[in-house]
Amino acid sequence: MRHTGPMDLGLKDRVLVVTGATRGLGFATARELVAEGAKVVISGRTEEAAAEAAARLGAEAAAPVAADNAAPDTPARLIETARSRFGRFDGVLISVGGPPAGPAESITDEQWRDAFDSVFLGAVRLARTAASELGEGGVIGFVLSGSVHEPIPGLTVSNGLRPGLAGYAKTLANEAGPRGIRVLGLAPGRIDTDRVRELDALSGDPAAARERTAQRIPLRRYGAPEEFGRAAAFLLSPAASYVTGVVVPVDGGARQGF
């Protein structure tokens, strides 16, 4: 299913940091970036997971870092690894695991604080640091969610935090744009990842939940991780050099707005 057409994304030898890249959408994006000739620094919560993912991508193209997005020293460590290992830093895709599911009345203060630190503040800190370190042609991407545009039943924390992060991304895009730095978001819909399978399983009948959801998607199916990865690789690449300040849905048409 890999596209092998004539477009050159201009990613050869560019160096990007991808957080949360040991599995799911982060890994899918890192794999597409490497396929297009980029080098990547990938982070995961454990050294073992990060090293295993990097090995799958190829030792020459990927550098693993064990890092928690919520830790204040994470941005500097990731950017320094990019420069020490590959000699430059061209951009970042900020991806974190989904916050806990649950109805509005059951989410505790502790769950809100933990999610705020990792999903919101950690992402803001990394983007802010990246913006101060990037030059013209740099790019900052956020993996967001369809909850940016409309609440998703049962995902209270995502519904609360993702729209604010999209607002921050737009503000940063406006401020960093004059320096030639692009900032954008991607809003994945139902992509066939472990996280989405876990959410489907909450219904008690994952297959039925998947079928019901697929019927509400115009393309009538879930997306494959590589389909998200290819969209992300394009948007992070110089080929998308005039795209900034937007949140791009990658959802098979599920969003009802324009």
Side-chain angles (χ1 to χ4, degrees):
M1 220 171 135
R2 182 180 297 280
H3 174 66
T4 56
M7 177 178 280
D8 178 6
L9 298 185
L11 282 166
K12 183 171 172 52
D13 295 327
R14 290 177 74 86
V15 179
L16 294 107
V17 170
V18 184
T19 72
T22 58
R23 64 177 194 160
L25 303 181
F27 182 80
T29 301
R31 184 171 54 197
E32 296 300 326
L33 290 169
V34 168
E36 293 290 339
K39 307 290 195 297
V40 294
V41 173
I42 60 169
S43 74
R45 285 186 172 272
T46 68
E47 289 185 17
E48 182 181 13
E52 181 183 341
R56 291 168 63 194
L57 294 169
E60 296 300 311
V65 177
D68 181 349
N69 270 28
D73 67 338
T74 289
R77 289 177 55 220
L78 292 173
I79 294 169
E80 170 55 30
T81 300
R83 290 191 169 133
S84 63
R85 176 71 184 272
F86 298 120
R88 56 190 287 176
F89 170 58
D90 297 294
V92 59
L93 180 69
I94 303 167
S95 175
V96 296
E105 294 183 33
S106 70
I107 303 297
T108 66
D109 285 5
E110 184 178 10
Q111 287 176 308
W112 275 112
R113 289 192 191 98
D114 288 348
F116 178 83
D117 283 345
S118 62
V119 173
F120 190 90
L121 184 56
V124 166
R125 187 186 292 120
L126 184 49
R128 184 181 65 215
T129 306
S132 70
E133 297 284 340
L134 288 167
E136 184 167 356
V139 62
I140 299 167
F142 294 84
V143 179
L144 299 171
S145 163
S147 61
V148 164
H149 301 293
E150 55 185 311
I152 300 172
L155 295 186
T156 302
V157 178
S158 180
N159 296 339
L161 298 181
R162 304 279 195 198
L165 202 51
Y168 175 80
K170 179 64 172 176
T171 303
L172 185 60
N174 292 342
E175 294 178 3
R179 290 185 283 130
I181 299 170
R182 298 186 300 118
V183 184
L184 51 87
L186 293 99
R190 227 54 181 181
I191 310 293
D192 190 18
T193 61
D194 293 340
R195 162 73 171 171
V196 165
R197 291 175 188 171
E198 289 165 7
L199 294 175
D200 283 344
L202 294 176
S203 70
D205 188 341
R210 180 172 178 136
E211 179 60 26
R212 282 195 305 273
T213 303
Q215 288 306 308
R216 295 195 295 269
I217 300 170
L219 290 183
R220 295 295 191 270
R221 63 178 178 85
Y222 282 21
E226 57 265 28
E227 290 180 297
F228 177 89
R230 285 195 293 268
F234 167 71
L235 290 167
L236 293 168
S237 79
S241 57
Y242 205 55
V243 180
T244 191
V246 294
V247 176
V248 179
V250 186
D251 63 2
R255 185 181 174 222
Q256 293 304 301
F258 289 85

